[in-house]
Amino acid sequence: MDDFLVVEGLQKAYGKIKALDGVSFRVKRGEIYGLLGPNGAGKTTTIKIITGILKPDNGNVFVFGKSPLEDPIYVKNVIGYVPEEVILYESLTVKEFFEFIASIRGLNRDDVIERVLVLVKSFGFSEYFDTPILSLSQGTKQKVAIVAALMHKPRLLVLDEPIKGLDAMSARVLKEILQMHIQNGGAVLFSTHIMELAENICTRIGIIHRGKIIAEGTMDELKEMAREPGADLEEVFLTLTEQIESIDEYLRDLRRIFS
Amino acid sequence: MDIGKLNKIAGKVYKEMLLQTVLLYQTQVDLSDEKTVKRLMSNTTAYLIYKFMMGFAILVSSILTALSVKNLTNAGGWNSFVKSTIFLTQYYVTILAMMLFFGVFFSSSLLSRDLYIPLFALNLTDSEILTIFILVYLKTFDFFAILAIFSLPIVLIILKFPILSVILAFIASIITVLISLELTIIIGKVFREKISYATKSTLKNAIRIIFLFLWAFIIYFIFSLNWLFYQIAQYITPLLINLPIIIWYFILVIFPINLSSIITQASGITTNNYFLLGASIISTILYALIAYFGLIKLYQNFRNILFSTPMVEKTEHLETRIGLKTRSKLATLILKDIKLTMRNPSYAVTAFFGIMMYLFYLILYRLDVIPYITFLSTLHIVAFFYPTFGISLLFIDEKAGRYIFSLPITLEEFLKSKVLLITIFYTVYVALLDIMFFIEPIKISFLIAVNLSIMGVYASTRILLIQNLKDIITKGISLSTILRSVKRLLITIILLLLMIELPIIIAQLFPINMINIAILLGLNLFYLAISYLVPVPEF
C-alpha cells in the first residue's frame, strides 16, 4: 500500500467558526508532505483529527487503511506525533518520561535503549536525562517530544511545527532524520510556517487556507499554479492565499509610519 | 508608573493566575473550542465564591468567639482565663488554617515566574514588576485578609470590650495574617523545591516522601483541629486549668496562645499573675518581630522568584545510567499516577487520607477526647471518601492529559488505572487497620466488612469515574463544576451509601457467622459485576 495517509473531506467547526471545510489530501510512502497555511488555517485541527485526538464533524481519515475513529490504538501505534504545543508531564524526569512512553508503546527495553541513547546524544541533551521536564527550556522540551515520537520506529511521522524552538544543530539533525526516515520507506506529514524549510525538504506541499486545501503539489507544480515560475515558496504561498495584494497595501502603510 | 496603574496591571495578572489555577485542575479538553475556554473562564468565579464563603466563616467565627469571651468576663478567675484563651486560640488557628489552605491552593500559579514573563517585555522597571507581583499576592487574600484583620476588633467594639483589648486584638490579627502570608510562601516554596520533583538520589527521594507525608499531616492536622476544636477544648480545658503555673509560662509563649492570652487579660479576665502577663507580652513582641523580619524575607523571596534563574540539575555520563525500565501498560499508568501523586501535596493528602484519619482519631480516642463510637464512625466514613478522590485523580494529568490521548491508550485502560490506584490507596488503609487490629482491637464485624468493602470501593469508583469521564474529556467540565452540580452530588452520595456504607452497616446489625460473611461477600461481588455492566463512554 503506497497511500500511508488518506484524508477525505474533513470538516470541523468550533461553534460558529468553521475550522475545516472539506480538507482532502494523501501522503504516500517515501514522501515528506508539508502542510502550509497562515495562522488559524486549520493545520493543527487537521493533525489532531489524523492522530485521533479530535473527532471530525464530517469526513474520513485512513492511516494505512485504518480509521483513527474505529481503530485508534492501531493508528496511534503506527504514528509518531509531535504536538504543536509541547506539554509533557513536568514533574517527571526525562528518563521517567521515556520509560513511560516506551512502556505505553510496549517496546522492548533492549531495543529502545540504543535508539534513545543515539537520539538523545544527537539532539544534545544527554546531560538533562535526570532533570525534571519543568526545568528544561522550551527547545529541550521540544527535543524530548521528538525523541518520544521516534522511539517506536513509526512508519508515519506527524509533526506539528517541529522546528519551533530548536537550535540550528538540532534542526539540522531533525531534517537528516526525516530524510533517513523516508529513505527507509517511511512518510512524514508536517506543518510549518518556515517557508525555506518546506521548500528544501518537502517532496509535496499542501497549502491550507480558511479550512480548505487551496493548492497542492511539488514545488514546481505550485509555482506553475501561481504563474510565478521564478518565485520562491513565500511568494507562491502569498499569491495562492491571495495575501500578496494585502501585503503591498500593508507595506505602503508600514513605510509611512516608519519613515 | 503610579500605584493605581500598577494595580490595574496586577488585576489582569491576577485574573490570569485564577485561569492558570483552573487549568491546572483541568485536563484533556481541547482548548481550540471557544465555548470550552469561556466555560473554563467562568469557573474562575468559583474561587471568588470560595473566598467569600471563607470570609463569611471568619466573620461568624469572630462573633461567636467574642460572645463566648464576653460571657466569661462576668465570671472571671483562672478558669475563665483558660477558657477564654482557648476560644481565642481557636479563632486565630482558624484564620491561619484558612489562609494557608487558600495560599497553598494557589501557590503553583502564584509562585510561577512564567506568569510575569510578558511584563518583562514592557517598559516596566524591576521594582514596578515586583510591586505588581506583591499586589497579585495580596489580591489572592484581599477580602478575607481584611476581614481577618478587622472583624474581631470591630465585633469587640460593638460588644463594648475595653479599648485596650480591641487594640490588642487588632495587633494580634495583623501578626496572624502576616505570619500566614509568610508561611504560605515558605510552604509553597518547600513543595515546589523539595517535594514536586524527584532526583536521582534515593536518600533525597526518601526525604522528599517523608517531607510530603509530614506536610500532608500538618495541613490535615490544622483542619481537623478546627473540626474537633470543641471536643478537644472540652477535653483539654480541665487539664490546662489544673496544670502547674510553671508550665503555663511555656504554654503562653506558643503562637497564637500568647496573643489570645493578652487579649483575654485586656478584656478584664485577669489572673493577677504579672509574670504570666509578662511572658505573653514578651512572646507577642517576639512574634511581632518575627512577622516584621519575615516580611523583609518575604520581599527578598519575591525578588528571587522574579529575578533569579532556576538551577537546572545536570548529569555527566549518559551511557552509564541509561537503564530504561519498561513495564506493562497498566502498571505504567498506575506508576505514573503514583509519581504525580507523590509530587503534588494536594493529591498526596488523598493517598494518605485514611492513614492520617486513623492515626489522628486513634490518638484522640486513646486520650479519651472522643468516644469509641466516634472513632469507629470516622473509620467508617473514610471508605465513603475514597471513590470521590478518584474524580480528582482524573485531573492529575493536568495539561499533559491532552498529550496522553495521542498515545495508544484506551479509555478503559485509562479508567482502570485510576480505579485501581484508588483501590490500592484504600487497600493500604485497610491493611493498616488489619495490622493495628492486633494492637488496638476494633469490632471484628467492622473489620471484616471493611476488608470486603475493597470491592465496593472499586465498583463505586469505577461507576463514578465512568459517569464523569465523558464530560471531563469532551465538554471540558472542571472539578469545581462537578462539585457544584447538586444532581451529580446526589447520585454520588446515593451510590456510595448503597455500595460502601450499606454493607458495612449491615455487618454491624447481624451476628458474624460464615453465612452472613458469604452474603456480604456476595453483595460486594454483585456490585463489582454491576460496575462492569456500565458502559465506558466512547471518545
Side-chain angles (χ1 to χ4, degrees):
Chain A
M1 186 198 289
D2 264 2
D3 279 335
F4 277 23
L5 171 68
V6 177
V7 176
E8 291 174 343
L10 279 191
Q11 291 184 329
K12 177 77 188 170
Y14 297 116
K16 287 177 188 168
I17 300 165
K18 259 190 184 175
L20 299 182
D21 190 12
V23 169
S24 302
F25 63 91
R26 282 164 192 256
V27 180
K28 296 176 194 296
R29 176 203 289 265
E31 259 190 353
I32 300 180
Y33 188 98
L35 200 57
L36 253 70
N39 295 335
K43 302 185 293 289
T44 299
T45 302
T46 306
I47 285 176
K48 280 184 179 171
I49 292 172
I50 292 167
T51 51
I53 297 172
L54 213 59
K55 249 184 185 176
D57 297 337
N58 266 312
N60 293 306
V61 170
F62 297 102
V63 179
F64 299 103
K66 307 248 176 164
S67 158
L69 288 177
E70 283 156 21
D71 207 342
I73 299 299
Y74 172 83
V75 169
K76 287 169 187 178
N77 266 323
V78 293
I79 281 180
Y81 167 58
V82 177
E84 182 195 22
E85 193 190 0
V86 175
I87 301 170
L88 310 169
Y89 290 104
E90 305 242 297
S91 66
L92 297 187
T93 63
V94 173
K95 181 188 170 188
E96 286 173 335
F97 182 70
F98 287 152
E99 283 180 341
F100 173 73
I101 299 292
S103 303
I104 290 295
R105 293 198 175 279
L107 304 178
N108 182 291
R109 182 181 163 276
D110 297 327
D111 292 347
V112 86
I113 284 178
E114 197 202 344
R115 198 168 167 86
V116 169
L117 181 66
V118 173
L119 283 167
V120 166
K121 265 190 171 178
S122 311
F123 281 107
F125 65 98
S126 340
E127 68 270 38
Y128 297 120
F129 210 60
D130 287 315
T131 305
I133 289 172
L134 181 79
S135 309
L136 303 177
S137 69
Q138 199 53 42
T140 311
K141 283 180 192 171
Q142 183 82 3
K143 293 176 196 175
V144 172
I146 291 170
V147 174
L150 293 167
M151 267 165 103
H152 59 297
K153 301 182 187 170
R155 291 163 72 195
L156 175 65
L157 281 172
V158 179
L159 315 172
D160 199 353
E161 304 279 359
I163 304 288
K164 199 167 79 177
L166 290 189
D167 51 61
M169 169 78 179
S170 301
R172 172 71 188 270
V173 168
L174 181 63
K175 280 186 246 172
E176 294 298 332
I177 288 172
L178 297 186
Q179 293 298 342
M180 287 175 214
H181 180 72
I182 58 163
Q183 279 160 17
N184 289 329
V188 180
L189 165 71
F190 83 94
S191 79
T192 183
H193 284 104
I194 307 167
M195 299 293 161
E196 293 82 358
L197 180 72
E199 195 167 355
N200 287 339
I201 68 164
C202 289
T203 41
R204 274 197 314 140
I205 293 165
I207 295 178
I208 184 168
H209 188 44
R210 292 181 186 140
K212 284 180 182 165
I213 297 279
I214 54 163
E216 189 187 42
T218 61
M219 194 53 213
D220 287 337
E221 285 167 347
L222 289 176
K223 281 177 189 173
E224 209 170 290
M225 275 180 227
R227 290 181 191 142
E228 298 205 28
D232 59 12
L233 183 58
E234 188 178 273
E235 279 172 87
V236 171
F237 176 82
L238 291 172
T239 308
L240 290 172
T241 54
E242 294 165 349
Q243 293 181 94
I244 198 88
E245 283 161 20
S246 314
I247 276 277
D248 288 340
E249 191 186 320
Y250 299 149
L251 286 177
R252 265 198 308 276
D253 292 342
L254 285 167
R255 278 190 201 103
R256 185 166 46 79
I257 62 164
F258 279 102
S259 59
Chain B
M1 197 178 283
D2 65 60
I3 192 78
K5 281 181 185 165
L6 292 177
N7 191 40
K8 264 190 181 173
I9 299 172
K12 303 271 180 215
V13 179
Y14 175 63
K15 271 190 186 168
E16 179 62 21
M17 189 198 75
L18 288 180
L19 185 65
Q20 293 292 337
T21 309
V22 169
L23 285 174
L24 270 184
Y25 294 90
Q26 170 55 47
T27 163
Q28 290 112 11
V29 68
D30 181 46
L31 294 176
S32 316
D33 194 342
E34 196 185 337
K35 266 190 198 167
T36 308
V37 176
K38 276 185 180 164
R39 192 184 299 122
L40 284 174
M41 285 171 81
S42 72
N43 279 326
T44 60
T45 52
Y47 296 104
L48 299 176
I49 294 167
Y50 296 151
K51 198 153 78 169
F52 274 88
M53 277 167 60
M54 287 168 99
F56 182 72
I58 286 179
L59 192 66
V60 171
S61 184
S62 66
I63 294 168
L64 293 177
T65 305
L67 285 172
S68 307
V69 176
K70 186 77 182 171
N71 283 338
L72 293 167
T73 51
N74 302 326
W78 175 249
N79 288 10
S80 299
F81 167 77
V82 173
K83 282 179 188 168
S84 166
T85 305
I86 291 171
F87 285 135
L88 285 159
T89 300
Q90 185 202 4
Y91 173 72
Y92 285 115
V93 168
T94 306
I95 290 179
L96 195 74
M98 281 183 176
M99 292 196 67
L100 281 185
F101 175 74
F102 212 71
V104 168
F105 189 70
F106 282 107
S107 61
S108 293
S109 315
L110 197 67
L111 297 179
S112 167
R113 187 177 177 273
D114 297 352
L115 208 57
Y116 299 88
I117 286 176
L119 300 183
F120 286 103
L122 301 175
N123 57 337
L124 292 165
T125 63
D126 282 1
S127 73
E128 283 170 337
I129 294 174
L130 189 60
T131 311
I132 292 168
F133 187 101
I134 293 168
L135 287 170
V136 171
Y137 180 64
L138 293 176
K139 274 177 193 291
T140 312
F141 301 95
D142 54 4
F143 178 70
F144 63 78
I146 291 168
L147 265 179
I149 290 172
F150 290 101
S151 67
L152 186 63
I154 290 171
V155 175
L156 293 184
I157 291 171
I158 295 167
L159 293 177
K160 295 179 179 165
F161 272 71
I163 191 70
L164 184 62
S165 68
V166 175
I167 294 167
L168 287 171
F170 181 64
I171 293 169
S173 302
I174 290 176
I175 293 174
T176 309
V177 166
L178 285 180
I179 288 178
S180 315
L181 294 177
E182 289 153 14
L183 280 177
T184 302
I185 290 293
I186 292 169
I187 292 173
K189 275 190 77 177
V190 164
F191 85 62
R192 267 178 84 88
E193 289 164 12
K194 307 277 183 210
I195 294 176
S196 295
Y197 310 111
T199 69
K200 55 182 175 159
S201 154
T202 316
L203 179 69
K204 276 187 185 172
N205 277 331
I207 293 171
R208 194 173 57 77
I209 301 291
I210 293 169
F211 220 141
L212 183 65
F213 183 79
L214 280 177
W215 187 91
F217 191 78
I218 290 167
I219 289 290
Y220 179 75
F221 180 79
I222 291 172
F223 269 90
S224 302
L225 209 64
N226 276 307
W227 301 336
L228 292 164
F229 205 89
Y230 183 72
Q231 282 107 314
I232 294 171
Q234 281 216 321
Y235 171 74
I236 60 168
T237 306
L239 285 179
L240 288 173
I241 286 170
N242 295 317
L243 276 179
I245 286 291
I246 184 83
I247 296 177
W248 268 95
Y249 290 119
F250 293 103
I251 291 175
L252 287 183
V253 295
I254 300 168
F255 173 84
I257 301 172
N258 60 327
L259 304 177
S260 311
S261 151
I262 53 165
I263 298 168
T264 296
Q265 304 215 35
S267 306
I269 311 171
T270 53
T271 58
N272 294 325
N273 183 332
Y274 293 108
F275 290 109
L276 273 185
L277 181 63
S280 313
I281 291 172
I282 290 168
S283 64
T284 300
I285 292 169
L286 202 71
Y287 283 111
L289 287 172
I290 290 172
Y292 173 72
F293 287 111
L295 210 57
I296 295 170
K297 184 78 186 152
L298 194 68
Y299 184 76
Q300 284 166 352
N301 265 327
F302 286 160
R303 281 200 80 87
N304 289 340
I305 292 164
L306 277 178
F307 305 117
S308 66
T309 322
M311 294 280 287
V312 177
E313 191 179 338
K314 285 188 178 184
T315 45
E316 296 89 33
H317 304 293
L318 177 66
E319 293 91 327
T320 55
R321 300 161 301 92
I322 183 79
L324 289 179
K325 287 179 198 145
T326 51
R327 298 172 187 85
S328 77
K329 212 186 264 191
L330 197 60
T332 303
L333 287 171
I334 293 173
L335 192 69
K336 181 259 301 169
D337 280 352
I338 290 177
K339 281 178 181 168
L340 296 182
T341 305
M342 293 304 164
R343 289 165 200 181
N344 186 326
S346 312
Y347 292 108
V349 173
T350 308
F352 299 136
F353 178 75
I355 300 169
M356 287 191 291
M357 286 284 269
Y358 179 79
L359 293 177
F360 189 70
Y361 282 83
L362 179 68
I363 294 168
L364 295 180
Y365 166 59
R366 276 298 185 107
L367 290 171
D368 282 336
V369 176
I370 53 167
Y372 181 71
I373 189 72
T374 311
F375 174 55
L376 203 63
S377 313
T378 309
L379 300 186
H380 192 162
I381 288 166
V382 167
F384 187 86
F385 279 100
Y386 270 90
T388 59
F389 293 151
I391 299 173
S392 67
L393 270 190
L394 290 176
F395 297 91
I396 200 168
D397 296 285
E398 294 181 353
K399 290 176 193 168
R402 272 166 266 154
Y403 180 79
I404 200 171
F405 285 110
S406 71
L407 299 172
I409 298 167
T410 61
L411 272 189
E412 175 65 43
E413 287 163 340
F414 178 77
L415 188 85
K416 199 183 260 180
S417 68
K418 310 279 180 197
V419 177
L420 274 174
L421 185 58
I422 286 296
T423 313
I424 290 169
F425 287 157
Y426 184 65
T427 308
V428 171
Y429 162 69
V430 173
L432 176 82
L433 290 187
D434 291 342
I435 295 165
M436 291 303 284
F437 176 73
F438 297 103
I439 303 160
E440 180 58 62
I442 49 175
K443 272 175 80 179
I444 187 76
S445 58
F446 177 77
L447 197 65
I448 291 170
V450 166
N451 272 278
L452 290 174
S453 71
I454 292 173
M455 281 181 268
V457 166
Y458 181 93
S460 50
T461 309
R462 186 177 160 83
I463 295 173
L464 262 187
L465 297 200
I466 290 173
Q467 193 203 357
N468 289 291
L469 190 62
K470 193 175 182 182
D471 283 351
I472 291 168
I473 293 178
T474 58
K475 293 184 189 165
I477 298 291
S478 74
L479 188 57
S480 61
T481 313
I482 289 171
L483 296 176
R484 274 185 293 167
S485 161
V486 178
K487 190 179 147 200
R488 274 174 209 269
L489 206 66
L490 279 176
I491 292 172
T492 304
I493 290 170
I494 292 167
L495 185 80
L496 299 182
L497 283 176
L498 206 68
M499 290 194 148
I500 302 172
E501 298 300 300
L502 190 67
I504 300 178
I505 293 167
I506 289 172
Q508 311 304 302
L509 299 177
F510 296 96
I512 281 295
N513 55 38
M514 290 313 283
I515 295 170
N516 286 344
I517 292 174
I519 292 170
L520 213 57
L521 177 68
L523 187 62
N524 275 292
L525 284 170
F526 172 68
Y527 287 148
L528 208 57
I530 282 182
S531 74
Y532 276 89
L533 294 177
V534 181
V536 176
E538 283 188 28
F539 214 141

